[in-house]
Amino acid sequence: EAGVVQSPRYKIIEKKQPVAFWCNPISGHNTLYWYRQNLGQGPELLIRYENEEAVDDSQLPKDRFSAERLKGVDSTLKIQPAELGDSAVYLCASSFLLNEQFFGPGTRLTVL
Amino acid sequence: QQQVKQSPQSLIVQKGGISIINCAYENTAFDYFPWYQQFPGKGPALLIAIRPDVSEKKEGRFTISFNKSAKQFSLHIMDSQPGDSATYFCAASYITDKLIFGTGTRLQVFP
């Protein structure tokens, strides 16, 4: 069974530039999560989707972050414009309903 | 009240020894307590999880001990192996919804 796929794996950009991350969840998983993991910290939830609907985006900085999950499968997380403090690993996870969450390898973002 | 406090920050154990990582929580509504293992460059992977209706759960060399009254839970790794060297995160949530992670423990097992 293929796991959660994320791309790119690494991204280096200058501050104020836009950046986008892509996630393909495990087939059949209706719930999709985006987490941010700062260096030396545990992941923190940014947004959770159930199918196409964002059911928890309370931690998403909406002035610069946006996300979408068209057709309830793939998802894209965007940052525009990026700030130095956005440097982190962005993890995507998926689950069937609210069961075990399976994480992807993450995208390591460096903002210069 | 949403925090999960984890200790120690790092742990060095000799091969064959016991590794113990502790976590404490405040929110009594939490009902799901998983432990995740993360290797460098990889996402976290579920290792073992427990619900508050039991005080202990064992899977192979990994055991969760849960103390509901103290609001604490811990991971014990018996017969620790070099391959166990990784970062371990405890977490807590309500109905496996929003996972609140601890800050992680970097475990190094030396041969």
Side-chain angles (χ1 to χ4, degrees):
Chain A
E1 176 183 276
V4 176
V5 179
Q6 290 189 247
S7 69
R9 291 295 315 277
Y10 305 91
K11 189 74 177 178
I12 301 174
I13 61 171
E14 295 194 344
K15 64 181 181 181
K16 300 185 181 179
Q17 294 298 306
V19 64
F21 314 122
W22 176 80
C23 173
N24 179 241
I26 292 173
S27 177
H29 283 192
N30 65 317
T31 306
L32 183 145
Y33 312 76
W34 282 103
Y35 288 86
R36 177 168 59 188
Q37 185 174 22
N38 293 313
L39 187 65
Q41 300 293 318
E44 294 179 320
L45 181 70
L46 291 173
I47 188 168
R48 174 170 70 95
Y49 282 93
E50 288 183 10
N51 300 306
E52 304 87 9
E53 183 182 359
V55 296
D56 184 355
D57 62 356
S58 57
Q59 299 297 103
L60 189 71
K62 298 181 184 61
D63 56 336
R64 298 183 300 107
F65 286 65
S66 65
E68 61 182 11
R69 190 184 184 198
L70 301 176
K71 300 181 181 178
V73 182
D74 295 2
S75 178
T76 303
L77 178 69
K78 297 178 181 178
I79 308 175
Q80 183 171 12
E83 297 179 352
L84 294 176
D86 295 330
S87 294
V89 174
Y90 291 83
L91 293 162
C92 179
S94 70
S95 69
F96 177 66
L97 300 179
L98 294 178
N99 294 311
E100 176 187 349
Q101 295 183 29
F102 292 84
F103 284 80
T107 296
R108 181 177 296 277
L109 173 67
T110 302
V111 182
L112 302 176
Chain B
Q1 202 179 24
Q2 286 287 80
Q3 274 189 324
V4 177
K5 296 182 180 179
Q6 183 172 347
S7 63
Q9 191 172 20
S10 63
L11 184 60
I12 299 174
V13 173
Q14 201 142 24
K15 178 182 175 181
I18 302 173
S19 304
I20 302 174
I21 305 171
N22 301 298
C23 283
Y25 64 97
E26 290 293 327
N27 190 343
T28 54
F30 287 148
D31 66 349
Y32 176 67
F33 302 89
W35 284 90
Y36 281 81
Q37 180 188 56
Q38 186 174 29
F39 292 103
K42 305 288 186 183
L46 180 67
L47 193 61
I48 186 172
I50 197 169
R51 295 198 181 271
D53 52 344
V54 296
S55 60
E56 187 174 281
K57 182 174 181 180
K58 184 176 180 179
E59 290 184 1
R61 296 183 295 109
F62 301 92
T63 300
I64 298 180
S65 295
F66 186 81
N67 186 328
K68 189 174 181 178
S69 61
K71 292 186 284 187
Q72 295 175 348
F73 57 111
S74 60
L75 175 69
H76 292 63
I77 306 174
M78 310 300 288
D79 187 26
S80 298
Q81 299 297 311
D84 297 330
S85 297
T87 300
Y88 292 81
F89 293 95
C90 62
S93 76
Y94 177 61
I95 316 178
T96 66
D97 181 13
K98 178 177 178 176
L99 283 172
I100 307 297
F101 284 85
T103 50
T105 296
R106 185 184 176 199
L107 172 66
Q108 295 175 275
V109 181
F110 285 94

